């Protein structure tokens, strides 16, 4: 237990976080570029067209990973929000507010790409079914977290309010996920799940490459944003001053 | 865990549980309205009034599609296996529309009990496969859902 506490205190200290995340970021970017290249090559050139949707099935390789990310990021924000509220670890607060714009971007990508896919497949850009509506609510939740954070002058207070909204808003995540099971929706059910996949392997692989690539992108982007935010928040503190003098000398 | 942290932990948990219960109750209450479409069985059971706009969902019955030769008008039967409704539509159908396909028609019932659709959407299922695989499955006498 003491070891665990020590680990949390170490990773929770801004200088430690700043230093080690700096080592990680180039690797994350490299992995993202490599996997995206493989995923796009397989998805756009190698994978076959679908027996019903034709070429528009390729939108899936962008849409599904983005939709997964939109939910995963909000879930992480809720977990970090919980830790931030109870243990007041500042890194967690920084991670939440640095995640929100990335999550909002992925949600927007999922909504727009889905809409462009829906037009040829369903015959409409948008319907107010449970899946589409709850995903739109998720976008507004991200906007809400960002707006709430920015409405406070004091970053610690702002982070507490944003944490609370992250936790409360997480109730939307199971609604999004199960909406296609609980209600009649125009959106189809999941093709990939614990009870087996209904997607051909030649189409599954590019999807998985893209999904991992997006996660690496999130990691790289999040860490970069969090580092910048830490530097800005701590610009008067000793460790930042030391860092600056070391880099300028 | 220090008393302060315990207090905060309990506070957050109470909020989470409260919001969760509220959401569950709200969704239970809204359940009817969350349905995107009604099935032909629902149409039979609920005696929906003519002229009321709603969305009808089901499969296009095999061999039921008939097109007019001089216009875009098309007639087909939407079924859910238990009940079925005659649908008439005058307009452009989505590419995925075919017999056996899931569709959602938006429109209203006429007094004769026929469904007059203003819009027809195709519902896509969760199966993704190349055309050759679909052909092979069909030849082997399997349905798509067995993949």
């Amino acid at each position: 237990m003491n070891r665990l506490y020590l680990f949390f205190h170490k990773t929770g200290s801004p200088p430690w976080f700043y230093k080690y995340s700096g080592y990680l970021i180039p690797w994350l970017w490299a992995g993202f570029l490599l996997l995206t290249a493989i995923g796009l090559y397989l998805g756009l050139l190698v994978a076959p067209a679908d027996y019903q949707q034709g070429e528009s099935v390729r939108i899936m390789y962008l849409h599904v990973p983005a939709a997964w990310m939109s939910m995963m990021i909000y879930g992480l924000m809720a977990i970090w929000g919980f830790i931030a509220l109870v243990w007041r670890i500042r890194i967690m607060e920084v991670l939440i507010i640095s995640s929100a714009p990335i999550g909002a971007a992925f949600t927007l990508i999922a909504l727009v790409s889905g809409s462009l896919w829906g037009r040829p497949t369903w015959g409409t850009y948008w319907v107010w079914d449970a899946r589409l509506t709850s995903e739109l609510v998720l976008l507004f939740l991200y906007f809400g977290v960002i707006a709430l954070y920015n409405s406070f002058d004091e970053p610690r207070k702002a982070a507490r309010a944003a944490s609370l909204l992250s936790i409360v808003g997480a109730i939307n995540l199971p609604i999004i996920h199960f909406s296609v099971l609980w209600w009649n929706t125009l959106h189809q059910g999941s093709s990939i799940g614990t009870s087996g996949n209904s997607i051909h392997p030649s189409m599954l692989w590019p999807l998985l490459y893209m999904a991992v690539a997006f996660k690496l992108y999130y990691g790289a982007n999040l860490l970069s944003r969090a580092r910048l935010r830490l530097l800005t928040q701590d610009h008067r503190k000793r460790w930042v001053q030391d860092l600056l003098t070391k880099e300028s000398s | 865990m220090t008393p302060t942290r315990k207090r905060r932990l309990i506070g957050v948990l109470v909020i989470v549980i409260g919001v969760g219960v509220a959401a569950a109750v709200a969704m239970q209450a809204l359940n009817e309205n969350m349905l995107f479409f009604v099935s032909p069985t629902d149409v039979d059971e609920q005696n929906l009034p003519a002229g009321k706009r709603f969305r009808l969902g089901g499969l296009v019955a095999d061999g039921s599609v008939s097109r007019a030769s001089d216009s875009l008008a098309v007639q087909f039967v939407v079924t859910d296996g238990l009940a079925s409704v005659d649908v008439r539509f005058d307009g452009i159908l989505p590419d995925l529309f075919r017999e056996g396909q899931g569709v959602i028609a938006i429109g209203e019932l006429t007094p004769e009990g026929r469904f007059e659709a203003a819009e027809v959407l195709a519902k896509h299922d969760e199966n993704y496969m190349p055309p050759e695989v679909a052909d092979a499955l069909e030849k082997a006498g399997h349905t798509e859902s067995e993949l």
Side-chain angles (χ1 to χ4, degrees), chain A residues 203-225:
Chain A
M203 295 169 166
L204 181 61
W205 278 108
L207 184 63
L208 295 181
Y209 275 113
M210 290 303 283
V212 177
F214 277 23
K215 282 169 182 61
L216 295 178
Y217 171 82
Y218 168 61
N221 196 340
L222 170 69
L223 292 181
S224 307
R225 280 168 187 270

Side-chain angles (χ1 to χ4, degrees), chain A residues 41-214:
Chain A
Y41 171 71
L42 289 179
L44 299 182
L45 299 171
V46 177
D50 184 67
Y51 75 119
Q52 281 196 325
Q53 305 158 63
E55 300 291 342
S56 61
V57 69
R58 301 186 197 284
I59 296 175
M60 168 181 75
Y61 304 123
L62 185 66
H63 173 76
V64 174
W68 282 343
M69 288 311 293
S70 72
M71 293 171 67
M72 189 192 95
I73 293 175
Y74 204 92
L76 286 175
M77 283 165 62
I79 295 169
W80 293 334
F82 184 78
I83 299 174
L85 278 184
V86 177
W87 285 277
R88 303 282 149 92
I89 299 175
R90 192 157 62 96
I91 291 287
M92 297 296 162
E93 301 171 359
V94 169
L95 287 177
I96 292 170
I97 194 58
S98 305
S99 285
I102 315 173
F106 276 121
T107 314
L108 200 63
I109 291 172
L111 285 170
V112 170
S113 61
S115 171
L116 293 176
W117 177 85
R119 179 64 202 151
T121 318
W122 294 336
T124 180
Y125 285 112
W126 184 262
V127 289
W128 293 100
D129 84 345
R131 172 55 78 76
L132 277 66
T133 309
S134 55
E135 183 75 10
L136 185 66
V137 168
L138 182 66
L139 181 66
F140 292 144
L141 280 171
Y142 277 119
F143 288 161
V145 169
I146 297 169
L148 191 61
Y149 184 87
N150 288 311
S151 65
F152 287 83
D153 290 329
E154 215 271 294
R156 301 299 303 261
K157 261 190 196 147
R160 249 174 276 164
S163 305
L164 196 60
L165 181 56
S166 304
I167 295 170
V168 170
I171 200 79
N172 191 29
L173 296 179
I175 298 180
I176 297 175
H177 182 76
F178 292 110
S179 56
V180 290
L181 294 178
W182 289 344
W183 302 293
N184 296 333
T185 53
L186 182 58
H187 196 288
Q188 64 268 32
S190 309
S191 301
I192 298 166
T194 44
S195 59
N197 301 334
S198 55
I199 175 166
H200 194 265
S202 61
M203 295 169 166
L204 181 61
W205 278 108
L207 184 63
L208 295 181
Y209 275 113
M210 290 303 283
V212 177
F214 277 23

Side-chain angles (χ1 to χ4, degrees), chain A residues 230-245:
Chain A
L230 277 179
L231 283 185
T232 330
Q233 279 183 6
D234 287 0
H235 70 282
R236 285 183 207 288
K237 289 205 180 143
R238 179 75 177 279
W239 71 272
V240 179
Q241 300 291 342
D242 286 352
L243 209 72
L244 289 175
T245 45

Side-chain angles (χ1 to χ4, degrees), chain A residues 30-45 209-210 213:
Chain A
F32 159 68
L33 288 177
L34 181 71
L35 290 183
T36 308
I38 299 175
L40 285 180
Y41 171 71
L42 289 179
L44 299 182
L45 299 171
Y209 275 113
M210 290 303 283

Side-chain angles (χ1 to χ4, degrees), chain B residues 80-109:
Chain B
D80 60 0
L82 298 168
S84 55
V85 175
D86 286 332
V87 179
R88 223 193 70 85
F89 176 61
D90 198 349
I92 297 168
L93 291 164
D95 291 350
L96 249 63
F97 181 90
R98 69 197 71 188
E99 287 171 2
Q101 179 77 37
V103 292
I104 291 170
I106 303 152
E108 55 199 44
L109 285 172

